[in-house]
């Protein structure tokens, strides 16, 4: 049994880029994302107990070679 496409199905595949962009513009308001609140800064005096293994410290130190 073969499936025949309906005129609507074949029309969807013939949509132009301009029509697709128009559809996207009309749908954009439905996809709005609320702005996220920025986290409050943490005081440096509250940051303690961080331990960096020597191998990781060397890796980070070497990264300056790849910077500016």
């Amino acid at each position: 049994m073969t499936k025949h496409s309906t005129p609507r199905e074949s029309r969807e595949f013939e949509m132009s880029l301009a029509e697709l962009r128009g559809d996207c513009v009309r749908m954009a308001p439905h996809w709005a994302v609320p702005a996220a609140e920025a986290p409050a800064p943490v005081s440096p005096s509250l940051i303690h107990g961080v331990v960096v293994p020597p191998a990781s410290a060397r890796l980070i130190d070497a990264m300056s070679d790849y910077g500016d």
Side-chain angles (χ1 to χ4, degrees), residues 1-58:
M1 181 174 167
T2 60
K3 181 183 177 210
H4 296 287
S5 62
T6 64
R8 180 176 178 197
E9 287 175 335
S10 63
R11 174 68 180 122
E12 287 178 8
F13 294 113
E14 296 172 7
M15 180 179 282
S16 72
L17 181 59
E19 290 173 310
L20 178 60
R21 289 183 69 205
D23 286 348
C24 292
V25 167
R26 285 188 293 280
M27 288 302 297
H30 299 285
W31 298 327
V33 178
E37 292 183 23
V42 176
S43 169
S45 65
L46 296 176
I47 301 173
H48 55 83
V50 176
V51 178
V52 179
S56 295
R58 283 192 303 274

Side-chain angles (χ1 to χ4, degrees), residues 58-68:
R58 283 192 303 274
L59 176 67
I60 292 172
D61 186 44
M63 293 298 288
S64 64
D65 297 341
Y66 299 103
D68 301 320

